[in-house]
Amino acid sequence: MRLAFGLTKGELSPEDVGNGLSVTVTARTREETRFLSVAADYSEWLGPDELPGWEKELRTAAHSLAAATDLGPSIGVPGARSD
């Protein structure tokens, strides 16, 4: 999951992840399912009081996914932020 690694490495923002989901993404593990489920909850309509909680939950799910896979930092991140 390039989006999860990009988020854990600080190359993508939570909003980048929410906007970068494809409807054709399929989860194969419990960690992938959790990450995609949380990411899919993103909407530009999340209120300022909801956004921090969503971001925290997304980061937690991304870290769990990254820890559960052997792909690690070698995976490329398309559209990675340079700032």
Side-chain angles (χ1 to χ4, degrees):
M1 295 274 4
R2 292 180 193 153
L3 294 172
F5 289 110
L7 181 63
T8 61
K9 293 179 357 182
E11 296 172 349
L12 296 173
S13 73
E15 291 81 10
D16 292 334
V17 172
N19 289 326
L21 286 181
S22 168
V23 293
T24 60
V25 173
T26 303
R28 291 174 280 169
T29 66
R30 181 177 62 229
E31 291 84 8
E32 286 178 350
T33 300
R34 180 68 185 141
F35 175 75
L36 292 173
S37 175
V38 174
D41 286 340
Y42 176 73
S43 165
E44 63 186 49
W45 304 111
L46 282 174
D49 57 328
E50 300 168 302
L51 197 54
W54 174 81
E55 288 180 355
K56 181 179 179 185
E57 190 174 359
L58 183 65
R59 289 181 194 284
T60 299
H63 284 285
S64 293
L65 177 55
T69 184
D70 60 355
L71 294 176
S74 65
I75 196 164
V77 180
R81 294 179 2 173
S82 60
D83 58 339

